[in-house]
PDB file of all heavy atoms in Angstrom:
ATOM      1  N   ALA A  64      11.794 -39.362 -22.095  1.00  0.00           N
ATOM      2  CA  ALA A  64      12.211 -39.588 -20.734  1.00  0.00           C
ATOM      3  C   ALA A  64      13.177 -38.521 -20.264  1.00  0.00           C
ATOM      4  O   ALA A  64      13.176 -38.191 -19.084  1.00  0.00           O
ATOM      5  CB  ALA A  64      12.862 -40.962 -20.590  1.00  0.00           C
ATOM      6  N   GLU A  65      13.954 -37.963 -21.173  1.00  0.00           N
ATOM      7  CA  GLU A  65      14.951 -36.971 -20.792  1.00  0.00           C
ATOM      8  C   GLU A  65      15.436 -36.216 -22.019  1.00  0.00           C
ATOM      9  O   GLU A  65      15.577 -36.776 -23.079  1.00  0.00           O
ATOM     10  CB  GLU A  65      16.157 -37.650 -20.101  1.00  0.00           C
ATOM     11  CG  GLU A  65      17.214 -36.686 -19.640  1.00  0.00           C
ATOM     12  CD  GLU A  65      18.351 -37.405 -18.914  1.00  0.00           C
ATOM     13  OE1 GLU A  65      18.553 -38.616 -19.123  1.00  0.00           O
ATOM     14  OE2 GLU A  65      19.004 -36.729 -18.091  1.00  0.00           O
ATOM     15  N   VAL A  66      15.651 -34.907 -21.855  1.00  0.00           N
ATOM     16  CA  VAL A  66      16.207 -34.097 -22.890  1.00  0.00           C
ATOM     17  C   VAL A  66      17.329 -33.260 -22.261  1.00  0.00           C
ATOM     18  O   VAL A  66      17.114 -32.594 -21.233  1.00  0.00           O
ATOM     19  CB  VAL A  66      15.212 -33.171 -23.558  1.00  0.00           C
ATOM     20  CG1 VAL A  66      15.874 -32.258 -24.604  1.00  0.00           C
ATOM     21  CG2 VAL A  66      14.068 -33.934 -24.198  1.00  0.00           C
ATOM     22  N   LYS A  67      18.520 -33.285 -22.890  1.00  0.00           N
ATOM     23  CA  LYS A  67      19.625 -32.411 -22.488  1.00  0.00           C
ATOM     24  C   LYS A  67      19.881 -31.528 -23.679  1.00  0.00           C
ATOM     25  O   LYS A  67      20.029 -32.011 -24.804  1.00  0.00           O
ATOM     26  CB  LYS A  67      20.870 -33.193 -22.166  1.00  0.00           C
ATOM     27  CG  LYS A  67      20.726 -34.141 -21.002  1.00  0.00           C
ATOM     28  CD  LYS A  67      21.963 -34.989 -20.831  1.00  0.00           C
ATOM     29  CE  LYS A  67      21.787 -36.012 -19.748  1.00  0.00           C
ATOM     30  NZ  LYS A  67      22.926 -36.945 -19.685  1.00  0.00           N
ATOM     31  N   VAL A  68      19.912 -30.197 -23.491  1.00  0.00           N
ATOM     32  CA  VAL A  68      20.071 -29.283 -24.603  1.00  0.00           C
ATOM     33  C   VAL A  68      21.039 -28.164 -24.271  1.00  0.00           C
ATOM     34  O   VAL A  68      21.064 -27.671 -23.152  1.00  0.00           O
ATOM     35  CB  VAL A  68      18.690 -28.728 -25.025  1.00  0.00           C
ATOM     36  CG1 VAL A  68      18.061 -27.916 -23.935  1.00  0.00           C
ATOM     37  CG2 VAL A  68      18.835 -27.888 -26.284  1.00  0.00           C
ATOM     38  N   LYS A  69      21.852 -27.809 -25.279  1.00  0.00           N
ATOM     39  CA  LYS A  69      22.695 -26.626 -25.194  1.00  0.00           C
ATOM     40  C   LYS A  69      22.346 -25.739 -26.369  1.00  0.00           C
ATOM     41  O   LYS A  69      22.540 -26.185 -27.524  1.00  0.00           O
ATOM     42  CB  LYS A  69      24.172 -27.000 -25.230  1.00  0.00           C
ATOM     43  CG  LYS A  69      24.667 -27.687 -23.999  1.00  0.00           C
ATOM     44  CD  LYS A  69      26.191 -27.969 -24.110  1.00  0.00           C
ATOM     45  CE  LYS A  69      26.640 -28.744 -22.862  1.00  0.00           C
ATOM     46  NZ  LYS A  69      28.066 -29.019 -22.977  1.00  0.00           N
ATOM     47  N   HIS A  70      21.831 -24.573 -26.101  1.00  0.00           N
ATOM     48  CA  HIS A  70      21.478 -23.612 -27.160  1.00  0.00           C
ATOM     49  C   HIS A  70      22.726 -22.748 -27.344  1.00  0.00           C
ATOM     50  O   HIS A  70      23.025 -21.918 -26.482  1.00  0.00           O
ATOM     51  CB  HIS A  70      20.281 -22.815 -26.744  1.00  0.00           C
ATOM     52  CG  HIS A  70      19.596 -22.146 -27.871  1.00  0.00           C
ATOM     53  ND1 HIS A  70      18.255 -21.895 -27.857  1.00  0.00           N
ATOM     54  CD2 HIS A  70      20.054 -21.674 -29.057  1.00  0.00           C
ATOM     55  CE1 HIS A  70      17.893 -21.278 -28.985  1.00  0.00           C
ATOM     56  NE2 HIS A  70      18.993 -21.147 -29.742  1.00  0.00           N
ATOM     57  N   LEU A  71      23.406 -22.884 -28.456  1.00  0.00           N
ATOM     58  CA  LEU A  71      24.743 -22.280 -28.635  1.00  0.00           C
ATOM     59  C   LEU A  71      24.750 -21.004 -29.426  1.00  0.00           C
ATOM     60  O   LEU A  71      25.714 -20.212 -29.273  1.00  0.00           O
ATOM     61  CB  LEU A  71      25.684 -23.313 -29.277  1.00  0.00           C
ATOM     62  CG  LEU A  71      25.827 -24.627 -28.540  1.00  0.00           C
ATOM     63  CD1 LEU A  71      26.601 -25.648 -29.380  1.00  0.00           C
ATOM     64  CD2 LEU A  71      26.523 -24.386 -27.218  1.00  0.00           C
ATOM     65  N   ALA A  72      23.786 -20.780 -30.275  1.00  0.00           N
ATOM     66  CA  ALA A  72      23.803 -19.583 -31.124  1.00  0.00           C
ATOM     67  C   ALA A  72      22.373 -19.225 -31.556  1.00  0.00           C
ATOM     68  O   ALA A  72      21.532 -20.092 -31.699  1.00  0.00           O
ATOM     69  CB  ALA A  72      24.650 -19.789 -32.333  1.00  0.00           C
ATOM     70  N   PRO A  73      22.071 -17.927 -31.757  1.00  0.00           N
ATOM     71  CA  PRO A  73      20.744 -17.550 -32.218  1.00  0.00           C
ATOM     72  C   PRO A  73      20.556 -17.837 -33.698  1.00  0.00           C
ATOM     73  O   PRO A  73      21.522 -17.988 -34.436  1.00  0.00           O
ATOM     74  CB  PRO A  73      20.705 -16.031 -31.957  1.00  0.00           C
ATOM     75  CG  PRO A  73      22.153 -15.625 -32.039  1.00  0.00           C
ATOM     76  CD  PRO A  73      22.950 -16.781 -31.515  1.00  0.00           C
ATOM     77  N   ALA A  74      19.294 -18.018 -34.062  1.00  0.00           N
ATOM     78  CA  ALA A  74      18.930 -18.226 -35.466  1.00  0.00           C
ATOM     79  C   ALA A  74      17.698 -17.363 -35.752  1.00  0.00           C
ATOM     80  O   ALA A  74      16.677 -17.519 -35.118  1.00  0.00           O
ATOM     81  CB  ALA A  74      18.606 -19.683 -35.760  1.00  0.00           C
ATOM     82  N   LYS A  75      17.882 -16.443 -36.698  1.00  0.00           N
ATOM     83  CA  LYS A  75      16.810 -15.479 -36.986  1.00  0.00           C
ATOM     84  C   LYS A  75      15.782 -16.045 -37.972  1.00  0.00           C
ATOM     85  O   LYS A  75      16.008 -17.143 -38.547  1.00  0.00           O
ATOM     86  CB  LYS A  75      17.393 -14.165 -37.526  1.00  0.00           C
ATOM     87  CG  LYS A  75      18.082 -14.301 -38.839  1.00  0.00           C
ATOM     88  CD  LYS A  75      18.690 -12.980 -39.268  1.00  0.00           C
ATOM     89  CE  LYS A  75      19.326 -13.180 -40.685  1.00  0.00           C
ATOM     90  NZ  LYS A  75      19.909 -11.995 -41.166  1.00  0.00           N
ATOM     91  N   GLU A  76      14.676 -15.362 -38.129  1.00  0.00           N
ATOM     92  CA  GLU A  76      13.618 -15.775 -39.030  1.00  0.00           C
ATOM     93  C   GLU A  76      14.212 -16.035 -40.447  1.00  0.00           C
ATOM     94  O   GLU A  76      15.029 -15.270 -40.911  1.00  0.00           O
ATOM     95  CB  GLU A  76      12.554 -14.706 -39.090  1.00  0.00           C
ATOM     96  CG  GLU A  76      11.300 -15.119 -39.905  1.00  0.00           C
ATOM     97  CD  GLU A  76      10.174 -14.114 -39.801  1.00  0.00           C
ATOM     98  OE1 GLU A  76      10.379 -13.018 -39.251  1.00  0.00           O
ATOM     99  OE2 GLU A  76       9.058 -14.477 -40.208  1.00  0.00           O
ATOM    100  N   GLY A  77      13.774 -17.119 -41.040  1.00  0.00           N
ATOM    101  CA  GLY A  77      14.225 -17.459 -42.360  1.00  0.00           C
ATOM    102  C   GLY A  77      15.441 -18.381 -42.414  1.00  0.00           C
ATOM    103  O   GLY A  77      15.735 -18.976 -43.458  1.00  0.00           O
ATOM    104  N   THR A  78      16.088 -18.548 -41.268  1.00  0.00           N
ATOM    105  CA  THR A  78      17.258 -19.453 -41.222  1.00  0.00           C
ATOM    106  C   THR A  78      16.801 -20.877 -41.420  1.00  0.00           C
ATOM    107  O   THR A  78      15.841 -21.347 -40.779  1.00  0.00           O
ATOM    108  CB  THR A  78      18.000 -19.321 -39.895  1.00  0.00           C
ATOM    109  OG1 THR A  78      18.390 -17.963 -39.664  1.00  0.00           O
ATOM    110  CG2 THR A  78      19.200 -20.225 -39.811  1.00  0.00           C
TER     111      THR A  78
END
Side-chain angles (χ1 to χ4, degrees):
E65 182 177 23
V66 177
K67 297 176 186 174
V68 62
K69 290 183 182 179
H70 198 151
L71 302 171
K75 65 183 182 179
E76 186 172 13
T78 302

